């Protein structure tokens, strides 16, 4: 059963399109999620978070919502959502929906009305600016490439779209718009959902519309009224209810995230930040070829751990999601089966012993890898396809382009879950919407469940430990050996109890530092301790003092 204290909970992210297909059309659906709920119960998670399931043209895989109240027929019906909620609740699992309220699809009724004329009642639901056809209002860049303003012939004006051309930014200065958003959220709360993940929520407040020295994000990231807006959102919707919320924060700061999550401020329960997932961006550039910077990874994780705790805020902790590569390929080693299994467990242990709410992305719990696509035609993600064109225009050669996209594409995590070694990994009886890696023959849920030493059982045990021991949730964190080139070491302290966490991120044997004593009760490990040496990808959690 789910734990009563949400801070001790663990969330499992489902990307419905790639989870489980029951119709044979090659795309996952709500019935497919319902079918696999007992599996999630076996894993032991408390919440399941679904990426957007609403009506959408799917230009950005559902993050372009055209109707907040209707379900995308590709996934099923509202009755299916009701059944999913009932069945999940029966099994002790809560359900979080993903909501996008920074922008809507240009196919949304509001926007269709908005573009009809300058005096349309819905015009002010979006951000429209005057400008000549060849001169946008500002030089801001879209997150998906190109200028962030799109010219609309009908009213000879520009609308702001920080993402795809089909995703128009909403105008949070408009009270009528805000009340429609509150009404919609309350509808889903009344429907029975248990939480919300708010997409790019720290971008909803726009500052001055001026030219930027860079790409414009200083005018809308953690904008001038963002905390005021979130406090109002909290008050009008979920604030007085048992609803867990997490905000996706783009390019944010620790100071803002403390404000977003300190309970006294009545904004959100927790926040995602992505700074630790940019440690393989060469000079800050995503589409670059670079091995991750381990020291920087540790530094960022610990800076957020220590400072968020000081400010009484709350982190979401995660390696993977639908926008990130698979962590074992990225920060571990998937070149041999032994290294894949061991480094997957090491990454799980070193993350799940941190403070915050852990998120497990579908397939992570069995150590799924990047698909290693070799041809641009295998990709489906709009951002990756845009990047391919951009890099080609810059003169990068094909081999390097494919290497870079192979490292960074969002499609790395979007290939279907590998359920078994049957056709299409047991995901569909039809043709999958995106290709499935060849390794599904040995990396799949069925094989993981049968092997008691699999990655799955490490994740299961980590969840059980978090539920059972308060130190994992509430213990103070003490970073250690931050300059060590191979080891991630820290302690957790609560009352008179201390746990030591040590993980070897390298593919070589490493001496345990002389001041580290591993005497005590081993709470979880991925190997047997051999003297004073850590083998490649070893990870240990040791209770070194306390009752």
């Amino acid at each position: 059963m789910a734990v009563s204290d949400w801070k001790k909970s663990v969330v499992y992210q489902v990307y419905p399109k790639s989870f489980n297909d029951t119709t044979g059309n090659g795309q996952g659906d709500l019935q497919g999620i319902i079918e696999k709920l007992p599996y999630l119960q076996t894993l032991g998670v408390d919440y399941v978070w679904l990426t957007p399931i609403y009506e959408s043209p799917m230009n950005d895989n559902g993050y372009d919502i055209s109707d907040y109240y209707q379900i995308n027929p590709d996934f099923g019906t509202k009755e299916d959502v009701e059944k999913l909620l009932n069945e999940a609740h029966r099994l002790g699992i809560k359900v979080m929906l993903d909501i996008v309220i920074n922008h809507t699809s240009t196919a949304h009724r509001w926007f269709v009305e908005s573009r009809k004329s300058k005096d349309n009642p819905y015009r002010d639901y979006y951000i429209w600016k005057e400008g000549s056809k060849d001169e946008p209002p500002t030089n801001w860049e879209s997150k998906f490439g190109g200028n962030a303003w799109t010219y609309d012939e009908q009213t000879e004006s520009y609308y702001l779209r920080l993402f795809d051309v089909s995703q128009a930014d909403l105008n949070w200065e408009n009270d009528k718009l805000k009340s429609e958003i509150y009404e919609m959220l309350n509808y889903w709360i009344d429907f029975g959902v248990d939480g919300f993940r708010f997409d790019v929520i720290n971008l909803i407040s726009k500052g001055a519309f001026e030219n930027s020295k860079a790409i414009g994000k200083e005018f809308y990231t953690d904008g001038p009224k963002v905390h005021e807006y979130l406090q109002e959102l909290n008050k009008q919707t979920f604030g007085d209810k048992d609803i867990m919320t997490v905000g996706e924060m783009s390019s944010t700061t620790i100071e803002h995230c403390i404000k977003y999550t300190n309970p006294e401020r009545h904004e959100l329960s927790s926040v995602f930040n992505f700074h630790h997932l940019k440690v393989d961006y060469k000079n800050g550039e995503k589409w670059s070829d670079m091995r991750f910077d381990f020291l920087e990874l540790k530094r960022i994780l610990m800076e957020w751990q220590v400072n968020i705790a000081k400010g009484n805020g709350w982190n979401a902790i995660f390696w993977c999601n639908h926008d990130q590569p698979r962590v074992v390929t990225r920060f571990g080693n998937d070149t041999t089966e032994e290294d894949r299994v061991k480094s997957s467990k090491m990454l799980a242990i070193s993350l799940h012993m941190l403070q915050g709410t852990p998120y497990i992305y579908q397939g992570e719990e069995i150590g799924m890898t990047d698909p290693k696509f070799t041809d641009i035609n295998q990709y489906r993600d709009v951002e990756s396809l845009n990047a391919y064109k951009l890099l080609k225009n810059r003169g990068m050669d094909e081999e390097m382009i494919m290497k870079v996209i192979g490292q960074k594409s969002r499609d790395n995590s979007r290939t279907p879950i590998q359920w078994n070694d049957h056709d299409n990994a047991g995901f569909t009886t039809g043709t999958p919407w995106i290709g499935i890696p060849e390794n599904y023959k040995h990396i799949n849920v069925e094989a993981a469940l049968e092997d008691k030493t699999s990655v799955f059982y490490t994740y299961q045990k980590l969840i059980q430990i978090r539920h059972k021991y308060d130190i994992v949730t509430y213990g103070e964190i003490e970073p250690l050996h931050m300059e060590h080139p191979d080891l991630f070491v820290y302690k957790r302290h609560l009352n008179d109890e201390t746990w030591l966490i040590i993980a070897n991120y390298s593919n070589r044997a490493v001496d345990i530092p002389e001041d580290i004593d591993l005497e005590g009760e081993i709470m979880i490990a991925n190997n047997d301790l051999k003297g004073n040496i850590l083998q490649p990808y070893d990870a240990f959690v040791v209770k070194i003092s306390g009752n």
Side-chain angles (χ1 to χ4, degrees):
M1 292 296 285
V3 289
S4 56
D5 179 358
W6 69 266
K7 282 191 170 179
K8 291 174 81 81
S9 64
V10 178
V11 184
Y12 186 93
Q13 182 189 352
V14 166
Y15 190 70
K17 193 173 184 177
S18 295
F19 193 69
N20 183 28
D21 172 23
T22 60
T23 67
N25 72 350
Q27 298 189 35
D29 46 59
L30 290 162
Q31 286 292 342
I33 302 168
I34 294 165
E35 192 174 274
K36 299 296 185 181
L37 284 171
Y39 165 70
L40 298 181
Q41 185 189 37
T42 302
L43 180 59
V45 296
D46 305 284
Y47 287 82
V48 59
W49 150 35
L50 312 181
T51 56
I53 53 173
Y54 319 95
E55 206 168 85
S56 166
M58 297 297 278
N59 291 329
D60 187 24
N61 280 308
Y63 285 90
D64 48 325
I65 298 171
S66 54
D67 191 329
Y68 290 105
Y69 292 93
Q70 299 306 318
I71 301 304
N72 185 335
D74 287 349
F75 297 138
T77 64
K78 212 172 273 188
E79 288 68 36
D80 292 331
V81 180
E82 198 167 5
K83 188 178 176 190
L84 171 63
L85 287 167
N86 290 338
E87 194 56 20
H89 292 160
R90 188 181 70 78
L91 296 174
I93 298 171
K94 294 181 174 183
V95 179
M96 298 174 73
L97 292 186
D98 207 327
I99 292 275
V100 190
I101 50 180
N102 175 69
H103 50 263
T104 71
S105 166
T106 51
H108 194 290
R109 178 179 62 85
W110 298 341
F111 189 79
V112 172
E113 286 295 319
S114 176
R115 79 191 319 169
K116 281 182 179 174
S117 69
K118 291 181 180 179
D119 55 3
N120 188 284
Y122 288 92
R123 184 72 169 183
D124 202 35
Y125 275 36
Y126 297 88
I127 298 169
W128 289 94
K129 296 288 175 198
E130 299 297 314
S132 63
K133 193 170 184 177
D134 52 0
E135 196 177 337
T138 72
N139 64 351
W140 299 2
E141 279 180 34
S142 158
K143 304 267 186 184
F144 289 172
N147 191 274
W149 297 91
T150 294
Y151 188 73
D152 188 61
E153 297 277 358
Q154 204 158 327
T155 56
E156 299 178 330
S157 314
Y158 284 87
Y159 64 87
L160 182 67
R161 50 93 182 183
L162 295 179
F163 294 89
D164 187 55
V165 64
S166 65
Q167 292 167 298
D169 279 59
L170 290 163
N171 176 20
W172 274 72
E173 295 282 328
N174 185 324
D175 290 338
K176 201 162 185 299
L177 165 77
K178 287 191 290 187
S179 65
E180 293 231 36
I181 287 170
Y182 305 151
E183 193 178 319
M184 175 270 295
L185 287 172
N186 286 324
Y187 170 84
W188 286 112
I189 292 169
D190 293 343
F191 200 86
V193 306
D194 307 290
F196 296 108
R197 180 259 190 194
F198 290 108
D199 187 63
V200 294
I201 192 68
N202 67 321
L203 308 185
I204 60 175
S205 171
K206 312 311 195 259
F209 294 97
E210 296 171 4
N211 279 333
S212 169
K213 288 177 181 156
I215 60 173
K217 61 184 182 183
E218 70 271 29
F219 293 110
Y220 56 75
T221 303
D222 303 316
K225 294 185 180 175
V226 68
H227 295 289
E228 178 190 319
Y229 290 159
L230 285 179
Q231 285 167 4
E232 190 180 325
L233 180 76
N234 177 303
K235 188 178 179 184
Q236 298 294 333
T237 59
F238 53 80
D240 58 349
K241 301 172 182 72
D242 183 20
I243 297 282
M244 186 166 86
T245 56
V246 60
E248 182 198 26
M249 300 293 163
S250 172
S251 305
T252 190
T253 64
I254 290 171
E255 292 71 30
H256 276 291
C257 286
I258 288 168
K259 289 179 179 176
Y260 290 131
T261 58
N262 185 317
E264 291 168 15
R265 292 180 57 84
H266 304 288
E267 294 186 28
L268 300 170
S269 311
S270 57
V271 286
F272 286 118
N273 87 82
F274 299 92
H275 297 281
H276 66 298
L277 297 177
K278 295 178 181 174
V279 294
D280 52 4
Y281 287 20
K282 202 172 191 174
N283 302 320
E285 167 61 40
K286 173 175 177 171
W287 303 105
S288 57
D289 174 27
M290 177 183 164
R291 178 166 164 72
F292 78 99
D293 182 335
F294 175 57
L295 291 180
E296 186 66 358
L297 178 69
K298 288 197 290 186
R299 185 193 70 75
I300 292 168
L301 285 172
M302 284 309 176
E303 183 183 22
W304 279 79
Q305 284 285 300
V306 169
N307 289 306
I308 287 278
K310 274 184 194 165
N312 197 25
W314 198 254
N315 276 311
I317 51 174
F318 68 105
W319 287 132
C320 303
N321 65 24
H322 60 289
D323 287 335
Q324 300 292 334
R326 294 279 180 185
V327 70
V328 67
T329 306
R330 191 178 196 178
F331 297 156
N333 184 346
D334 66 1
T335 54
T336 70
E337 183 59 5
E338 184 186 357
D339 284 341
R340 179 191 70 84
V341 170
K342 201 172 177 200
S343 63
S344 291
K345 292 176 181 179
M346 178 275 291
L347 288 160
I349 291 166
S350 57
L351 182 92
H352 279 248
M353 288 297 108
L354 295 172
Q355 187 177 62
T357 302
Y359 281 70
I360 300 167
Y361 179 70
Q362 61 181 43
E364 181 186 341
E365 78 282 5
I366 59 165
M368 274 179 63
T369 68
D370 286 353
K372 315 287 171 73
F373 289 153
T374 54
D375 188 311
I376 194 62
N377 295 312
Q378 293 174 282
Y379 289 92
R380 301 288 178 267
D381 170 38
V382 60
E383 186 191 32
S384 304
L385 299 175
N386 287 349
Y388 178 81
K389 290 178 202 155
L390 183 76
L391 297 174
K392 212 147 180 77
N393 289 339
R394 284 184 192 164
M396 190 183 282
D397 71 78
E398 183 78 13
E399 191 181 343
M400 181 53 79
I401 292 175
M402 292 313 300
K403 186 179 184 186
V404 165
I405 288 178
Q407 279 181 29
K408 305 289 171 52
S409 174
R410 301 191 301 180
D411 279 341
N412 283 323
S413 57
R414 295 179 180 185
T415 58
I417 284 225
Q418 296 161 202
W419 291 106
N420 55 43
D421 63 2
H422 305 164
D423 288 350
N424 299 320
F427 164 70
T428 180
T429 56
T431 304
W433 72 277
I434 190 171
I436 294 172
E438 290 296 313
N439 62 20
Y440 77 86
K441 292 284 186 188
H442 66 278
I443 303 174
N444 60 68
V445 169
E446 198 173 88
L449 290 172
E450 283 170 9
D451 176 7
K452 293 297 176 190
T453 67
S454 73
V455 178
F456 176 90
Y457 291 104
T458 294
Y459 274 89
Q460 185 190 59
K461 188 170 182 183
L462 285 165
I463 294 168
Q464 290 166 353
I465 287 171
R466 180 168 290 268
H467 287 169
K468 184 173 179 182
Y469 298 99
D470 282 352
I471 191 169
V472 182
T473 302
Y474 298 108
E476 185 187 327
I477 196 150
E478 180 190 354
L480 298 165
H481 291 278
M482 291 295 284
E483 296 307 314
H484 196 291
D486 303 306
L487 301 183
F488 189 20
V489 192
Y490 58 94
K491 285 179 179 174
R492 302 294 306 274
H493 305 280
L494 186 67
N495 303 324
D496 62 346
E497 196 172 334
T498 296
W499 288 18
L500 172 75
I501 295 86
I502 187 165
N504 181 3
Y505 271 63
S506 76
N507 60 358
R508 56 184 174 270
V510 177
D511 289 335
I512 295 170
E514 287 179 11
D515 63 335
I516 297 292
D517 185 356
L518 292 187
E519 283 295 309
E521 181 187 352
I522 292 182
M523 308 305 289
I524 189 167
N526 66 352
N527 199 7
D528 296 324
L529 193 56
K530 298 178 181 75
N532 66 338
I533 292 175
L534 286 186
Q535 299 304 313
Y537 308 115
D538 268 4
F540 295 91
V541 178
V542 186
K543 181 179 175 183
I544 55 174
S545 68
N547 300 323

